[in-house]
């Protein structure tokens, strides 16, 4: 099982570890979806694709190439949006996201999900010896 091209197990809607597992599988799956700009859908979700909102994202070039690369960015957004929504097994969350975000807002939708549901694992505290 390489996890790269396998279907994503539906996410139950639970926070913490179930979301972390879903997040990692989704990122692996979408990381293989690249286009001629060299950006993957995972890069899009991170904001680091060409034309992305982060300062570390490569800028869109000027001229005629910009229109084609902007179209590719919209395609990445559509793939991200549809893949995320189709991978959510909780109909109430799915419906809420569909009513709140459009495909053009897939980056914002993903950032919202992560901020609400991704609970970082803290390193266990070391017990004093003695």
């Amino acid at each position: 099982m390489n996890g790269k091209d396998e279907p994503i197990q539906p996410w139950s809607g639970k926070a913490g570890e179930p979301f972390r597992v879903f997040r990692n599988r989704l990122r692996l799956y979408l990381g293989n979806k690249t286009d001629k700009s060299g950006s993957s859908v995972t890069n899009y979700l991170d904001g680091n694709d060409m034309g992305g909102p982060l300062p570390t994202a490569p800028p869109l070039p000027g001229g005629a190439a910009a229109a084609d690369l902007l179209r590719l960015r919209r395609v990445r957004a559509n793939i991200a949006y549809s893949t995320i929504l189709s991978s959510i097994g909780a109909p109430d969350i799915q419906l809420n996201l569909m009513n709140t975000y459009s495909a053009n807002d897939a980056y914002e939708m993903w950032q919202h999900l992560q901020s609400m549901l991704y609970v970082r694992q803290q390193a266990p505290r070391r017990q004093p010896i003695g």
Side-chain angles (χ1 to χ4, degrees):
M1 261 172 71
N2 65 12
K4 293 181 180 178
D5 295 319
E6 298 170 8
I8 301 166
Q9 295 282 330
W11 170 55
S12 65
K14 294 183 180 174
E17 184 66 14
F19 183 76
R20 188 189 67 76
V21 170
F22 166 72
R23 178 183 176 271
N24 290 342
R25 288 182 180 158
L26 182 77
R27 291 176 56 77
L28 183 63
Y29 178 76
L30 294 177
N32 286 335
K33 310 256 182 247
T34 59
D35 56 33
K36 70 179 184 178
S37 73
S39 295
S40 72
V41 180
T42 297
N43 294 140
Y44 170 82
L45 290 176
D46 291 342
N48 281 320
D49 63 325
M50 185 172 286
L54 295 184
T56 54
L60 286 171
D68 189 42
L69 292 171
L70 195 55
R71 181 190 62 77
L72 290 173
R73 187 161 201 280
R74 285 192 298 271
V75 169
R76 290 190 297 273
N78 284 325
I79 292 170
Y81 184 79
S82 62
T83 303
I84 291 168
L85 287 176
S86 66
S87 300
I88 295 175
D92 56 330
I93 294 174
Q94 196 177 46
L95 185 61
N96 185 344
L97 292 173
M98 286 190 303
N99 288 333
T100 306
Y101 299 97
S102 71
N104 292 333
D105 304 322
Y107 170 78
E108 289 82 5
M109 179 179 77
W110 182 242
Q111 298 309 311
H112 170 76
L113 273 176
Q114 289 189 109
S115 69
M116 299 298 292
L117 299 165
Y118 183 56
V119 178
R120 296 185 188 271
Q121 297 290 81
Q122 293 184 358
R125 291 180 168 238
R126 294 185 182 190
Q127 297 296 322
I129 299 176

